[in-house]
């Protein structure tokens, strides 16, 4: 499915740039220019599918805790497309400072697209009297990054949206997001947030500059 473009967060773009609080005017202007450039080249596409947890084995204690009380889960993948990756690569050749800002804006664009998809899926389940938990991605806590390949295979993401994975578990195109969310039947139970249940256990906890800016990578 193709997602309609969504506004890219200035705050999140600046957080990726390492800026605390309100950005100074020069950085704000750079970030806004990067956001405009990112919006012009991002082509967000997504795929998702529901699975019964009896037919899908998800490794790790953290994802099991996140999906506690759920009998079904949604697997999802979002990418903003190879065109954006190619444009960023070209810019890096002779406009490095602009490329840094664009890179951060494209990361924020991928997050915005994922948020949009999750909101649309959640609305569909709410119409049936069910509720979606927050998303939880491979690489959070002890949910291994190596699960990326299985997740993409389950979604046929390579054929459907051109999203693949490298041998070391990195998504290609890089500006992409995969995740799992549980389905709470009848709206019962708490909505679990990775920021509360898995952030401190994440192997990237100490080095994560996004966390230090107060923006969890699991929304």
């Amino acid at each position: 499915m193709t997602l309609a473009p969504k506004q890219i967060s200035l705050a999140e773009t600046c957080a990726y740039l390492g800026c605390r609080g309100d950005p100074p005017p020069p950085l704000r202007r750079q970030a806004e220019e990067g956001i405009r450039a990112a919006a012009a080249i991002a082509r967000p596409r997504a795929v998702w599918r529901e699975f019964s947890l009896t037919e899908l084995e998800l490794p790790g204690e953290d994802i099991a805790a996140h999906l506690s009380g759920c009998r079904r889960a949604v697997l999802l993948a979002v990418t903003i497309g190879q065109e954006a990756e190619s444009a960023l690569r070209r810019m890096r050749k002779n406009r490095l400072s602009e490329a840094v800002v664009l890179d951060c804006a494209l990361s924020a664009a991928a997050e915005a697209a994922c948020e949009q998809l999750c909101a649309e899926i959640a609305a569909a389940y709410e119409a049936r009297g069910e509720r979606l938990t927050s998303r939880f991605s491979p690489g959070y806590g002890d949910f291994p990054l190596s699960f990326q390949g299985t997740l993409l295979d389950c979604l046929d993401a390579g054929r459907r949206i051109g999203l693949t994975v490298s041998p070391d578990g990195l998504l290609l195109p890089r500006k992409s997001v995969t995740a799992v969310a549980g389905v709470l039947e009848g709206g019962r139970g708490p909505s679990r947030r990775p920021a509360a249940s898995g952030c401190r256990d994440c192997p990237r906890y100490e080095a994560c500059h996004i966390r230090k800016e107060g923006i969890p990578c699991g929304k």
Side-chain angles (χ1 to χ4, degrees):
M1 61 185 292
T2 299
L3 296 172
K6 185 181 179 184
Q7 184 174 358
I8 301 170
S9 168
L10 175 64
E12 192 156 8
T13 299
C14 290
Y16 279 115
L17 286 166
C19 175
R20 295 178 178 275
D22 291 334
L27 181 60
R28 174 183 286 271
R29 287 193 294 270
Q30 287 180 310
E32 289 172 343
E33 290 172 3
I35 287 171
R36 285 192 291 270
I41 60 178
R43 301 290 183 270
R45 301 177 66 197
V47 60
W48 67 279
R49 181 181 168 192
E50 179 189 290
F51 288 85
S52 166
L53 291 178
T54 61
E55 63 177 316
L56 182 67
E57 183 176 351
L58 300 172
E61 295 181 1
D62 290 330
I63 186 64
H66 188 73
L67 299 178
S68 176
C70 301
R71 293 188 294 180
R72 293 169 292 142
V74 168
L75 269 59
L76 61 96
V78 174
T79 182
I80 61 171
Q82 186 57 50
E83 299 89 342
E85 296 279 318
S86 299
L88 181 58
R89 191 161 49 247
R90 290 192 299 270
M91 184 178 285
R92 285 195 178 114
K93 293 179 180 179
N94 51 23
R95 297 157 59 192
L96 187 56
S97 61
E98 292 179 49
V100 170
V101 178
L102 178 61
D103 186 281
C104 294
L106 288 173
S107 293
E111 285 294 317
C114 194
E115 285 292 293
Q116 179 184 354
L117 175 65
C118 289
E120 292 179 4
I121 298 172
Y125 277 100
E126 286 171 6
R128 296 177 357 197
E130 298 174 314
R131 190 152 52 92
L132 207 65
T133 71
S134 52
R135 55 185 166 100
F136 203 98
S137 293
Y140 290 4
D142 65 355
F143 188 26
L145 200 62
S146 59
F147 189 73
Q148 296 278 38
T150 301
L151 191 155
L152 296 183
D153 287 344
C154 288
L155 295 174
D156 194 15
R159 181 183 65 83
R160 297 179 67 183
I161 61 173
L163 181 57
T164 60
V165 64
S166 71
D168 53 358
L170 298 180
L171 294 172
L172 302 171
R174 292 187 310 112
K175 303 304 182 183
S176 305
V177 180
T178 61
V180 179
V183 179
L184 293 165
E185 297 180 3
R188 295 189 301 274
S191 177
R192 287 166 285 278
R193 298 179 61 84
S197 61
C199 191
R200 183 170 290 277
D201 296 324
C202 180
R204 301 182 182 86
Y205 180 81
E206 291 298 334
C208 181
H209 69 279
I210 299 302
R211 176 190 62 80
K212 292 174 183 177
E213 298 298 334
I215 302 178
C217 57
K219 306 292 175 56

